Each structure stands twice: as structure tokens, then as C-alpha cells.
């Protein structure tokens, strides 16, 4: 099919589950039915959306005989952790540059969660830089240094977001459409967290390329709506060109909700923390404070506002991130004893 000509390393050998969320559906009681696509269960490296991207990125890396992966992210980056895990699995080295993007952090944030796992996976180096650093330049410098050391580096951009990584989410559309088909349900909405944009760009490109008629709603974790829409749209067009179906660009459907950033990137405000508790206590799901908690808060808010029509089938794409919970342990403390399910 469309994707078979691109080199790929298999890190996931079966579809991630598409599960109903009956208790959430009942709790929201808006006439729509809610599902969760479990991309937190992408097998490798603790799971998460970066694994799908890494299948194609590492396919390219291996085709270039790389022996070292270099990437970047925020201190609690899930992407860096998944890259470190995938590198370990393939016997490649991994070096990462971590931007101190989140202010006023505590010891759990600095040392636990994803940072701990990066070290557990045996990264060669974690280099910390200040917030606002030009990360693209840092990646180039790191790569140049590795080359001088006789290594063959492959550079992966932040979040694995480029036309290669996004192919993983084109693939996800295909997988999801087959699952919905098998259950004889339409997919009316896909709701997910959008950050470095590769996930939403891949999904948008996949929906357009396969002619799947679902609304795609990204809940922004950082950027204002207009900025994120433009970024995702541009990247989706690049992906469609790469796939060889640029004509599908006219069908691109990209919507972004920026009302749930909740204090800024990596900041976990009360609405985010509550949404995480709701998902845990209604469906046994582990969400995270930087991405999926915000996306879930957006899903709840839209359902409460009557945004999803009666009878609609809504899929929440769970993009992972649970290891990041341990970096925010203190912020949860005050809420753990409260009844977040009681109607307010
Ligand atoms: C990276 C990430 C996202 C955002 O995906 P992008 O492709 O960067 O937009 C969402 N959820 C989690 C848990 C992530 O780690």
C-alpha cells in the first residue's frame, strides 16, 4: 500500500487496542459514545506515540548505517525516553539535549519520571540547555561533534516530527479505520494532544489520503490555535507530497483547541490534574500532565458544552506519557483525597 515503500523498523507487531469507555460515556451523558485508541500501549520503550514515528525514523537511520541517534526535548520528554529505549533495543547509541523549558521544578521533575528512564536505558549523554535555546542549532552542533568522533549520527528532530516520523500516524489512521470497520461503527471524531505537530499532521494526511471522513481535533499543549493550525497544515501537506498524493491536500481537516494549555507547556493546572484523576477513576487509564491530561480536559469540556452530537462516535487517541506522572507527584497530593467524579 501507500506506506510499503518506506523503510521501517518493526517496534509494534499488532494494532493497539480500540476500547470502549462505558463509564466515561455514562458520566458525560451527552448522547455521544466515547472510545480510546490505546497508543500508550505501543509495546516498545514504555509506550506512547513516538514509537510509531520511530518505526519510520529508525527505518531511515538504519538504511543510512547510523550507529548513534541524536535528539532533543524538554527535560521530561516522552520522545527522548522512547528514542532512548528504541536505541537500546536496536543496539544504537543515543545522545539527547534537554531544554529546561518548564520553570520552578522540584526534585521529582529533575530526576524522576522520564529522566530516570533515559538513564536506565543507558543514554550516552543528556546535555541540559536553558529555556529558549535554539534546539535545531544544538542538534546540528551535537551531530557535528559526533562525526568528528568517528560516529555515524542520525538526527531526530524534537518529538520525531517531520515527514518521516509522521508516516507512523498515517499508518495509525489505516489501523484505526480497520478497527472501526470491524466493529461496524463510523469514526466521527478523533481527539488528541498536539505539540510538536507530527501526530496531528500524520493523522490529517492519513484521513485525507485514505478518504476517511472523521473530524480531527488537536488539543494544543503549548501554541495558540492559529500558530498550531498553520504548523500542522503545512506539515500535513509535506507528508502528502512525500506519500505521492498531494491532490489530497484540499481534503485536509485540521482543528485545534487552545483553551486547555492550562498555564503553559509542562505546567499542570487544576483542570489538567482533575482530568487525569477522572480518567484513572472511571476507566483505569493513566494519562500525563503535559499532554494527554490536557487533551482529556478538552474532551470533557467539549462534551459538557454539547459539542459532540447525539449518536456521535468519539475516539480519544491516548498518546502515552504516564512515566511523566512521577515527575509531578507533589502537585497531585492535595487532590488525591477529593471526589473528582461528583457533579460540580
Ligand atoms: C509528544 C507527545 C504528544 C504530542 O505529539 P506531537 O506529535 O508532538 O504533536 C502527545 N502526547 C504525548 C504523551 C507525547 O509524548
Amino acid at each position: 500500500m501507500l506506506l510499503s515503500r518506506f523503510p521501517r523498523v518493526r517496534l509494534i507487531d499488532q494494532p493497539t487496542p480500540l476500547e470502549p469507555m462505558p463509564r466515561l460515556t455514562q458520566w458525560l451523558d451527552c448522547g455521544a459514545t466515547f472510545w480510546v485508541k490505546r497508543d500508550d500501549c505501543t509495546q516498545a520503550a514504555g509506550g506512547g506515540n513516538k514509537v510509531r514515528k520511530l518505526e519510520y525514523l529508525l527505518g531511515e537511520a538504519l538504511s543510512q548505517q547510523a550507529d548513534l541517534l541524536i535528539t532533543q526535548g524538554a527535560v521530561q520528554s516522552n520522545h527522548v525516553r522512547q528514542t532512548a529505549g528504541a536505541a537500546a533495543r536496536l543496539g544504537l547509541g543515543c545522545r539527547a539535549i534537554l531544554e529546561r523549558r518548564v520553570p520552578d521544578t522540584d526534585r521529582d521533575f529533575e530526576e524522576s519520571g522520564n529522566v530516570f528512564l533515559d538513564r536506565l536505558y543507558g543514554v550516552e549523554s543528556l546535555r541540559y540547555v536553558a529555556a529558549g535555546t535554539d534546539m535545531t542549532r544544538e542538534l546540528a552542533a551535537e551531530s557535528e561533534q559526533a562525526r568528528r568522533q568517528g560516529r555515524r549520527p542520525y538526527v531526530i528532530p524534537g518529538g520525531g516530527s517531520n515527514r518521516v516520523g509522521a508516516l507512523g500516524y498515517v499508518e495509525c489512521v489505516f489501523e484505526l479505520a480497520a478497527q472501526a470497520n470491524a466493529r461496524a461503527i463510523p469514526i466521527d471524531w478523533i481527539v488528541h494532544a498536539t505539540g510538536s505537530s507530527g501526530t496531528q499532521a500524520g493523522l490529517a494526511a492519513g484521513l485525507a489520503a485514505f478518504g476517511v471522513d472523521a473530524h480531527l481535533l488537536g488539543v494544543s499543549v503549548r501554541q495558540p490555535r492559529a500558530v498550531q493550525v498553520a504548523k500542522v497544515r503545512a506539515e500535513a501537506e509535506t507528508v502528502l507530497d512525500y506519500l505521492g498524493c498531494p491532490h489530497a491536500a484540499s481534503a485536509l481537516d485540521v482543528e485545534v483547541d487552545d483553551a486547555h494549555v492550562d498555564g503553559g507547556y509542562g505546567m499542570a493546572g487544576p483542570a489538567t490534574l482533575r482530568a487525569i484523576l477522572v480518567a484513572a477513576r472511571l476507566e483505569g487509564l493513566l494519562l500525563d500532565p503535559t499532554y494527554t491530561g490536557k487533551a482529556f480536559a478538552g474532551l470533557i469540556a467539549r462534551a459538557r458544552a454539547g459539542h459532540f452530537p447525539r449518536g456521535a462516535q468519539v475516539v480519544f487517541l491516548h498518546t502515552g506519557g504516564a512515566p511523566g506522572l512521577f515527575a509531578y507527584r507533589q502537585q497531585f497530593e492535595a487532590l488525591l483525597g477529593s471526589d473528582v467524579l461528583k457533579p460540580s
Side-chain angles (χ1 to χ4, degrees):
M1 64 169 227
L2 210 51
L3 290 162
S4 53
R5 66 194 162 90
F6 299 100
R8 176 181 180 191
V9 172
R10 291 265 173 188
L11 298 169
I12 316 167
D13 71 359
Q14 56 192 21
T16 61
L18 174 65
E19 298 174 343
M21 294 196 283
R23 281 177 32 87
L24 178 75
T25 298
Q26 191 178 32
W27 185 73
L28 288 172
D29 194 25
C30 66
T33 300
F34 294 86
W35 302 78
V36 58
K37 173 68 172 162
R38 298 292 305 272
D39 270 17
D40 56 323
C41 300
T42 46
Q43 300 177 352
N49 62 339
K50 305 314 180 301
V51 177
R52 284 193 195 270
K53 299 179 181 183
L54 285 164
E55 287 200 320
Y56 288 95
L57 290 162
L58 297 190
E60 189 174 85
L62 292 188
S63 75
Q64 297 173 6
Q65 275 85 45
D67 64 0
L68 174 67
L69 305 179
I70 296 178
T71 196
Q72 58 98 349
V75 171
Q76 281 295 335
S77 168
N78 298 303
H79 162 69
V80 169
R81 179 249 310 161
Q82 286 163 87
T83 303
R89 182 155 164 198
L90 296 182
L92 303 173
C94 181
R95 298 179 186 176
I97 307 160
L98 301 182
E99 180 191 359
R100 295 194 183 279
R101 203 184 287 167
V102 180
D104 303 327
T105 55
D106 63 11
R107 198 161 161 207
D108 286 334
F109 190 93
E110 292 293 317
E111 295 176 12
S112 186
N114 285 302
V115 188
F116 168 58
L117 296 181
D118 297 341
R119 297 177 60 208
L120 194 80
Y121 279 130
V123 290
E124 290 182 14
S125 72
L126 293 175
R127 185 158 65 79
Y128 289 78
V129 297
T133 299
D134 180 344
M135 298 303 278
T136 309
R137 231 170 75 183
E138 293 297 322
L139 280 177
E142 191 81 25
S143 168
E144 191 42 49
Q145 187 192 14
R147 250 179 246 288
R148 279 199 305 270
Q149 294 166 338
R151 303 292 293 272
R152 293 185 306 277
Y154 179 80
V155 173
I156 299 177
S161 285
N162 58 18
R163 64 183 190 176
V164 178
L167 294 177
Y169 274 88
V170 174
E171 166 97 22
C172 181
V173 170
F174 191 75
E175 185 179 302
L176 183 56
Q179 287 173 313
N181 214 26
R183 290 177 182 265
I185 56 159
I187 301 169
D188 297 309
W189 289 85
I190 300 171
V191 181
H192 69 99
T194 184
S196 68
S197 83
T199 301
Q200 192 169 11
L203 290 170
L207 291 171
F210 298 125
V212 179
D213 189 19
H215 295 287
L216 180 62
L217 174 64
V219 180
S220 179
V221 303
R222 189 178 191 187
Q223 300 290 2
R225 180 174 173 279
V227 174
Q228 190 70 4
V229 167
K231 189 164 129 185
V232 170
R233 187 167 264 286
E235 189 160 326
E237 286 179 12
T238 311
V239 175
L240 288 172
D241 280 343
Y242 194 43
L243 286 168
C245 41
H247 53 274
S250 61
L252 281 176
D253 174 24
V254 176
E255 194 182 332
V256 168
D257 182 346
D258 64 3
H260 305 279
V261 176
D262 206 14
Y265 177 87
M267 308 290 284
T272 302
L273 297 176
R274 273 179 185 280
I276 292 171
L277 291 183
V278 167
R281 293 176 184 188
L282 283 176
E283 297 293 346
L285 296 171
L286 294 178
L287 305 183
D288 81 292
T290 306
Y291 296 98
T292 53
K294 292 178 183 185
F296 205 74
L299 181 92
I300 293 171
R302 292 228 168 187
R304 294 263 184 252
H307 181 80
F308 303 116
R310 194 153 279 285
Q313 306 290 332
V314 182
V315 176
F316 178 73
L317 174 65
H318 188 338
T319 45
L325 277 172
F326 299 97
Y328 291 79
R329 199 178 55 85
Q330 292 293 344
Q331 280 97 309
F332 281 96
E333 210 52 57
L335 258 184
L336 294 178
S338 64
D339 185 1
V340 294
L341 301 180
K342 211 165 53 195
S344 49

